[in-house]
Amino acid sequence: MASLVVATRGRESLLARLLESISHLDPSAIQVVVVDQNLDDRVTRLLAAGGIEVLHVRVPWANASRARNLGAALARGRWIAFPDDDCWARSDTLPGLLAAIGYAEQVGATVVTGPIRDEHGEPHMRRWAATSRSLTVADIRECAIEATTVVRREEFLAVGGFDPRFGPGARFHAAEGDELLVRLDRAQQGWSGWYDTGFSFGHPRRVAGTDRASVRRTFRYAIGAGAAWGRHPRSALAGSTGYAIVESLGALLLRRPRPWLVADRLARAAGILVGAVLGVFTFHRPRERQERRRLQHLLHEDLREARVREWQRE
């Protein structure tokens, strides 16, 4: 069995689209867990309409990584996937997920990934590998992203799940998936995975470098990527983030991009460097071990305080 853990806040219409796209699933094969970070009843009203079996978990705080950890701890599945609340399942998503997990079980893999596709079925957000293949932590840049990363639950919980200091609602807004995979690799002294082009989620395409808001978003996400590199300076993230800096600056030299795109590329390079410095100071200070212990106890507190309700298909 697999579980889809969805952390959501302020996106009830997009969440409704996701739930509608998976409403035909077999609940004996795939469980849905929604961790609701809204302070009102908007998601409760949505789920009360029926149509799908959902484990609804309500929390009074906003942190996507913390919410996913809580959802994974409450999930029944042997494998856990973490689609964003603005994702949607394509026609081949759930069959592709189960097929990829089945193959991963045969070869003893710990991680399954697949590409993200836009409204037209085109891959985006990464330079995705064109064919299915075996996967290691060195392949993060072209084979992994949070929304299509599927991890065996036992191994996920053993390393503490996502670090709540990364991801939406945290100090570092992005790179929670990359940071998790590097930490998992160190804990297992190297994990093996499976990248499957037959498994994908849909996700809206956002065009970079179009206005001030898009440049700010790029800078914020780049700080997260840089902070993950600063935390793990000798990992595979060194190559991927270094390549991102070179790619961003190289594009300015080889082309004549529009002004907002110039700002976007500079924001990306600057954000990575700023994040790397912040990451070094944040994660290598003397009190970091004490902070990690505090975060480990956080999940136990969340399990005690969460309000959980099981919604049945009507």
Side-chain angles (χ1 to χ4, degrees):
M1 181 187 224
S3 295
L4 306 182
V5 174
V6 184
T8 187
R9 183 170 184 260
R11 288 175 166 177
E12 64 275 16
S13 61
L14 295 174
L15 177 64
R17 178 178 65 177
L18 171 60
L19 296 178
E20 173 64 26
S21 71
I22 59 177
S23 59
H24 61 284
L25 61 77
D26 178 0
S28 67
I30 298 179
Q31 176 197 29
V32 180
V33 181
V34 172
V35 186
D36 178 7
Q37 302 167 90
N38 296 287
L39 298 180
D40 55 25
D41 293 326
R42 66 183 73 187
V43 173
T44 301
R45 291 192 294 269
L46 173 64
L47 298 178
I52 186 171
E53 292 188 15
V54 175
L55 184 67
H56 181 203
V57 185
R58 297 192 65 176
V59 295
W61 34 258
N63 182 298
S65 290
R66 186 176 167 186
R68 291 166 181 156
N69 291 346
L70 176 60
L74 293 167
R76 298 192 302 269
R78 174 175 165 82
W79 292 81
I80 312 292
F82 303 94
D84 294 342
D85 56 0
D86 58 348
C87 284
W88 64 88
R90 296 158 36 83
S91 60
D92 59 350
T93 296
L94 301 180
L97 171 61
L98 294 176
I101 287 175
Y103 182 77
E105 292 275 14
Q106 293 178 27
V107 299
T110 301
V111 176
V112 169
T113 69
I116 284 286
R117 301 186 184 276
D118 65 13
E119 295 85 347
H120 306 291
E122 296 297 322
H124 68 114
M125 300 178 76
R126 285 281 199 270
R127 295 183 182 274
W128 297 101
T131 58
S132 300
R133 56 189 252 192
S134 298
L135 175 71
T136 70
V137 72
D139 303 309
I140 287 177
R141 185 170 60 87
E142 58 181 4
C143 292
I145 200 168
E146 293 84 2
T148 53
T149 292
V150 190
V151 187
R152 280 201 307 219
R153 178 176 178 271
E154 181 180 357
E155 283 81 354
F156 176 83
L157 295 176
V159 298
F162 293 106
D163 189 318
R165 292 169 290 184
F166 289 89
R171 178 182 182 185
F172 302 115
H173 192 74
E176 65 272 25
D178 290 354
E179 194 281 327
L180 167 70
L181 294 179
V182 170
R183 195 159 25 88
L184 183 64
D185 186 70
R186 290 186 172 179
Q188 295 192 337
Q189 297 182 335
W191 52 260
S192 64
W194 176 247
Y195 167 74
D196 199 316
T197 57
F199 160 57
S200 63
F201 270 101
H203 189 281
R205 180 184 289 270
R206 296 189 179 96
V207 181
T210 56
D211 54 22
R212 188 183 302 275
S214 69
V215 172
R216 286 176 175 170
R217 182 173 62 242
T218 294
F219 184 67
R220 189 169 66 247
Y221 276 69
I223 288 177
W229 176 26
R231 181 176 190 179
H232 305 288
R234 297 182 181 178
S235 69
L237 296 178
S240 61
T241 49
Y243 177 87
I245 293 174
V246 172
E247 181 186 44
S248 296
L249 298 180
L252 301 180
L253 299 175
L254 298 177
R255 308 171 191 167
R256 292 186 176 179
R258 59 186 184 275
W260 279 120
L261 192 56
V262 171
D264 183 88
R265 295 295 184 263
L266 292 174
R268 186 185 185 198
I272 290 173
L273 294 174
V274 169
V277 173
L278 292 174
V280 168
F281 281 98
T282 299
F283 299 105
H284 297 279
R285 59 186 178 176
R287 297 177 60 186
E288 171 58 13
R289 184 174 299 178
Q290 178 181 345
E291 178 67 9
R292 286 200 301 268
R293 285 197 295 267
R294 185 189 70 81
L295 293 174
Q296 289 170 358
H297 290 303
L298 191 62
L299 178 58
H300 299 293
E301 296 173 8
D302 290 343
L303 284 168
R304 287 197 303 268
E305 297 174 1
R307 290 183 290 166
V308 182
R309 179 173 181 177
E310 187 100 34
W311 293 92
Q312 301 295 326
R313 192 193 307 265
E314 293 184 358

